[in-house]
Amino acid sequence: MLLILVLLSLHTFSLASSHQHHPLDPLTRSEFTLVRTIVQKSYPNSIHNLTFQYVGLDEPDKPRVLAWLSNPASKPPPRRAFVITRLSKKSHEIVVDLSTRLIVSDVVYDGYGYPLLSFDEQFAAITLPQTYGPFIESLKKRGLNLSDVVCSTFTVGWFGEVKISARVLKLLCFYTDHGTVNLYVRPVEGITLVVDLDEMKIVEYYDRYRVPVPKGEGTEYRASKMKPPFGPHLNGAAFLQPNGPGYKIDGHTVSWANWVFHVGYDVRAGPMISTASIYDLEKQIYRRVLYRGFISELFVPYMDPTEEWYYKTFFDSGEFGFGQSAVSLEPFADCPSNAEFLDAYYAGADGLPVKISNAFCIFERYAGNIMWRHTELGIPNEVIREVRPEVTLVLRMVATVGNYDYILDWEFKPSGSIKFGVGLTGVLEVKGVTYTHVDQIKEDVYGTLLADNTIGVYHDHFLTYYLDLDVDGEPNSFIKKKLKKIQVIDPHSSPRKSYWTTMSETAKTESDARVRLGLMQSELTVVNTNKKTKLGNDVGYRLIPGSASHPLLSYDDYPQIRGAFTNNDVWVTPYNKSEKWAGGLYVDQSHGDDTLATWSLRNRDIENKDIVLWYTIGFHHVPCQEDFPVMPTLSAGFELRPTNFFESNPVLKTKAPKRVDWSNCSNTTHP
């Protein structure tokens, strides 16, 4: 993948500053180098055999972080890194103390599953077919040029094998003749290569059948290669801030309007938002909302059970790394003109830091939305109209995992809400077939015919968010307020026959808190029963879900065993530092024995505890022709909204932004 960075005179901040202000800051460039040095020194004879699969902040104990936040002049928690390496076909879990420059622990993992795949080993794997005789012969039989073939990596999953399998990937290949760059829509069907990553060699090869490679015509998406007619035509738009942005970035801490929060980065999760607090104008204090939030896992199972496709059940965070897959954002395209950009670093397979320029952008957004309004027409001879436009703050990252691009937004609103947006775009995963018209299809092809010889296969996207809410403090409870229909029994009491009311249920244990949305109307709230409003209501934050899309795979199907954390839309667990990744620490070829679903079987107490809310947003994707050759963005999201958190409307006294005087601007349009 080639990333082209356009250099513009825009402010760019780094997520790897030279000094630390916050215990949750991601590792800096120099710290990655230090970790590499310390680890390599502990294995002096194995440097060339040692690879770094994951390097990230070893998150300090939460009480230590909170103590430091309450007194930043105090001694900060120890600065440590958590490292997973591969050495002699074993995974080592290493904790490095960066201040003492010592290895605190080094444990060999002997369970099921393998760590995050590095880009380096994937790039090495896809070059192997270029010199592999059987593969070259298969291409000759198909009349394809070796120089026009590009291969890509696919994880193999787990399908009931008892023994620990070798660490392997499958390679599938695509055709790019005549300058085609939309390679994912031109698969070379029938050929599968299996690569042992520890040996870095091809260990299995299959050439099962042949079908035509889909044509390249009509698959172009580069603006420079498009031919007339063009359209639809859109006029330009601008968001002007004559006094500059309304936010400040100090290291990794962002202050804006009534919000302050910390922005982090992880090679696996991507953006990590921490210690988000909101200013209460009436109480004149900042109040805690979210201690830690990030996308814990993304499960993408495809629905074709045939030999060439059944294993395509991806875990894009735990296998491929959302953060590692972040792409450099393009100013004025990925982000608006008023955006500022932040860089990020991760460790490559050799341990050296890799820079992602413009990994995040942050900007204030005004899209014509209304914060609140009212027109009063009931007073004789008077019309009262009050309107407040809504300006929000957005943090954005885009992760390109193979063929798909994921647009990830965190949006902070002055009203106290946090909105989470997900946009799906990019290129569909397609299958080459002999069909050119739907009338020819007499069997289940597990997808939609999108173009000649091209089937877009049915699939799902399930994104599971980790949300450690600390609503006015750590001890919180989860409330399910069910909306229940009541029949009016006494016809003399009311002419109505029914109404609805609420019935509150406090989840005592983890099993009480599991929710499958859509089965019953309910309000889901995290509350602090130790804090009350003046009227006696528990302060809280409510989950406003997106549309519910539940898994349709059987619970005993192997991909769903691994992805069992999607069986419910909502889970609540007691805070546990080690319970971070919904799909487990080692996801590649995992057996589903270390997931959110297995942790929750302990059915621990969660009432008035430090709890974590897990929420899954899902998409069932039935491809259509409009998704081809590149898919217009499909968006969804959810919201965390204050509920009895404030005494009244927290933005009642917000003044509308001043109007910008355009009097010196000409109405004449110039070419």
Side-chain angles (χ1 to χ4, degrees):
M1 183 185 307
L2 297 177
L3 303 179
I4 301 175
L5 176 63
V6 181
L7 299 177
L8 296 164
S9 58
L10 296 171
H11 296 293
T12 300
F13 294 83
S14 175
L15 282 182
S17 58
S18 59
H19 55 284
Q20 297 299 330
H21 297 286
H22 196 294
L24 298 178
D25 281 353
L27 298 180
T28 66
R29 183 174 187 172
S30 60
E31 286 176 329
F32 280 118
T33 302
L34 178 58
V35 168
R36 177 179 187 261
T37 300
I38 294 170
V39 172
Q40 286 188 341
K41 281 185 177 179
S42 67
Y43 297 100
N45 298 322
S46 307
I47 290 178
H48 299 295
N49 191 25
L50 178 73
T51 60
F52 293 80
Q53 307 300 138
Y54 175 90
V55 183
L57 177 70
D58 183 35
E59 186 177 321
D61 292 334
K62 186 174 179 180
R64 294 287 303 272
V65 175
L66 295 176
W68 181 88
L69 288 172
S70 64
N71 182 18
S74 64
K75 184 179 180 180
R79 184 78 173 160
R80 292 177 172 177
F82 179 68
V83 184
I84 299 178
T85 63
R86 288 290 288 177
L87 178 62
S88 302
K89 299 185 180 182
K90 294 183 181 298
S91 297
H92 289 249
E93 299 175 11
I94 302 171
V95 176
V96 177
D97 190 307
L98 295 170
S99 57
T100 63
R101 303 194 174 196
L102 295 175
I103 290 180
V104 175
S105 64
D106 185 344
V107 178
V108 175
Y109 174 72
D110 60 0
Y112 297 114
Y114 294 105
L116 187 72
L117 298 163
S118 71
F119 275 172
D120 293 330
E121 61 191 345
Q122 292 182 71
F123 290 151
I126 64 176
T127 64
L128 297 177
Q130 295 292 321
T131 56
Y132 189 66
F135 177 73
I136 296 172
E137 187 62 28
S138 292
L139 294 183
K140 289 180 179 178
K141 292 178 180 178
R142 287 168 168 78
L144 304 178
N145 296 320
L146 178 64
S147 60
D148 293 325
V149 174
V150 177
C151 298
S152 187
T153 56
F154 295 79
T155 49
V156 301
W158 169 71
F159 295 90
E161 303 90 348
V162 176
K163 67 177 183 178
I164 296 178
S165 304
R167 187 166 177 259
V168 298
L169 284 175
K170 289 187 177 180
L171 302 184
L172 302 179
C173 303
F174 305 87
Y175 205 48
T176 63
D177 66 331
H178 305 301
T180 302
V181 297
N182 199 346
L183 60 100
Y184 286 106
V185 300
R186 306 198 64 207
V188 179
E189 293 288 356
I191 298 176
T192 304
L193 305 97
V194 181
V195 174
D196 186 314
L197 291 176
D198 289 325
E199 299 285 347
M200 198 51 70
K201 66 179 182 181
I202 296 170
V203 292
E204 295 179 48
Y205 181 76
Y206 304 96
D207 185 353
R208 294 188 177 92
Y209 64 94
R210 301 179 207 171
V211 295
V213 174
K215 293 180 294 185
E217 289 78 11
T219 65
E220 183 60 73
Y221 56 80
R222 292 170 293 180
S224 61
K225 303 293 183 180
M226 294 293 180
K227 297 179 180 180
F230 298 104
H233 298 282
L234 305 174
N235 288 336
F239 176 49
L240 186 64
Q241 293 182 289
N243 299 320
Y247 57 86
K248 294 181 180 178
I249 303 176
D250 180 12
H252 300 264
T253 299
V254 179
S255 303
W256 173 79
N258 48 355
W259 280 102
V260 61
F261 58 92
H262 180 272
V263 180
Y265 164 86
D266 179 79
V267 67
R268 179 166 172 173
M272 303 185 91
I273 304 299
S274 304
T275 60
S277 298
I278 189 165
Y279 188 73
D280 188 319
L281 189 63
E282 181 172 316
K283 296 181 182 294
Q284 300 277 296
I285 58 171
Y286 276 96
R287 299 171 63 191
R288 291 163 58 188
V289 177
L290 180 71
Y291 177 74
R292 198 90 153 128
F294 54 89
I295 294 176
S296 180
E297 192 53 83
L298 171 56
F299 179 37
V300 188
Y302 282 79
M303 297 300 128
D304 186 334
T306 61
E307 180 66 32
E308 302 297 317
W309 276 77
Y310 75 90
Y311 56 89
K312 294 185 179 181
T313 54
F314 307 120
F315 293 79
D316 284 346
S317 179
E319 292 176 338
F320 296 101
F322 246 16
Q324 178 178 243
S325 302
V327 295
S328 294
L329 298 174
E330 184 174 343
F332 307 114
D334 286 314
C335 308
S337 59
N338 61 312
E340 295 186 5
F341 294 82
L342 303 94
D343 301 329
Y345 290 90
Y346 68 90
D350 58 3
L352 292 173
V354 178
K355 180 180 179 180
I356 305 176
S357 300
N358 294 10
F360 300 113
C361 69
I362 189 167
F363 57 92
E364 288 169 289
R365 173 155 65 192
Y366 172 57
N369 295 331
I370 297 171
M371 181 186 292
W372 64 264
R373 79 169 325 280
H374 180 60
T375 299
E376 183 55 69
L377 302 173
I379 302 174
N381 303 316
E382 189 172 4
V383 175
I384 299 172
R385 180 184 297 109
E386 288 289 327
V387 183
R388 301 293 186 272
E390 182 172 71
V391 179
T392 63
L393 186 73
V394 178
L395 175 81
R396 173 172 295 167
M397 189 192 91
V398 174
T400 299
V401 188
N403 53 302
Y404 259 105
D405 293 58
Y406 294 92
I407 305 164
L408 310 173
D409 282 358
W410 292 69
E411 183 174 10
F412 293 83
K413 304 176 73 170
S415 62
S417 285
I418 306 175
K419 293 189 70 174
F420 305 78
V422 178
L424 311 181
T425 181
V427 181
L428 294 174
E429 189 90 18
V430 303
K431 177 173 65 172
V433 293
T434 58
Y435 309 116
T436 57
H437 195 280
V438 293
D439 290 348
Q440 300 168 342
I441 302 174
K442 307 300 181 184
E443 58 183 349
D444 193 344
V445 292
Y446 317 107
T448 305
L449 187 66
L450 304 176
D452 288 352
N453 311 116
T454 306
I455 293 288
V457 177
Y458 305 141
H459 59 282
D460 298 321
H461 303 262
F462 294 107
L463 295 96
T464 298
Y465 284 77
Y466 172 105
L467 301 165
D468 180 4
L469 285 160
D470 282 359
V471 179
D472 251 353
E474 300 99 287
N476 286 177
S477 298
F478 182 64
I479 305 294
K480 292 188 283 186
K481 190 172 287 188
K482 298 178 181 178
L483 278 57
K484 184 177 181 181
K485 181 175 68 175
I486 305 295
Q487 298 291 143
V488 177
I489 299 175
D490 183 0
H492 301 292
S493 65
S494 173
R496 290 279 296 274
K497 294 184 177 181
S498 64
Y499 64 97
W500 64 260
T501 189
T502 62
M503 299 182 65
S504 292
E505 174 187 316
T506 301
K508 306 288 186 183
T509 64
E510 291 176 89
S511 61
D512 296 336
R514 297 169 194 156
V515 176
R516 282 177 61 86
L517 296 169
L519 301 180
M520 177 179 291
Q521 297 296 322
S522 58
E523 299 261 317
L524 306 175
T525 311
V526 174
V527 303
N528 189 331
T529 58
N530 310 291
K531 304 288 181 68
K532 309 284 185 182
T533 64
K534 292 177 182 178
L535 298 177
N537 291 310
D538 296 329
V539 302
Y541 258 73
R542 176 166 39 124
L543 172 68
I544 301 180
S547 57
S549 296
H550 302 132
L552 298 176
L553 298 179
S554 301
Y555 282 0
D556 63 348
D557 196 356
Y558 295 108
Q560 195 59 38
I561 292 172
R562 300 173 68 212
F565 53 88
T566 64
N567 290 346
N568 297 300
D569 301 280
V570 177
W571 308 73
V572 179
T573 62
Y575 171 80
N576 184 320
K577 176 184 171 181
S578 67
E579 295 177 2
K580 187 174 181 178
W581 308 112
L585 181 59
Y586 296 89
V587 180
D588 181 29
Q589 298 186 54
S590 63
H591 291 195
D593 55 352
D594 177 32
T595 70
L596 170 59
T598 56
W599 311 331
S600 187
L601 291 175
R602 286 175 279 178
N603 204 24
R604 295 160 291 185
D605 294 337
I606 59 171
E607 184 179 12
N608 201 28
K609 304 285 187 183
D610 188 359
I611 57 176
V612 175
L613 177 74
W614 306 76
Y615 174 70
T616 296
I617 184 170
F619 302 79
H620 294 304
H621 194 171
V622 178
C624 61
Q625 287 185 237
E626 287 81 358
D627 293 337
F628 187 86
V630 174
M631 175 182 164
T633 301
L634 174 64
S635 300
F638 66 100
E639 182 176 346
L640 292 173
R641 184 181 179 92
T643 302
N644 299 319
F645 186 83
F646 298 101
E647 294 293 340
S648 61
N649 180 351
V651 290
L652 182 68
K653 295 184 179 180
T654 299
K655 294 182 178 180
K658 292 182 179 180
R659 295 181 182 178
V660 177
D661 183 9
W662 292 85
S663 58
N664 294 327
C665 295
S666 170
N667 291 327
T668 304
T669 301
H670 298 281

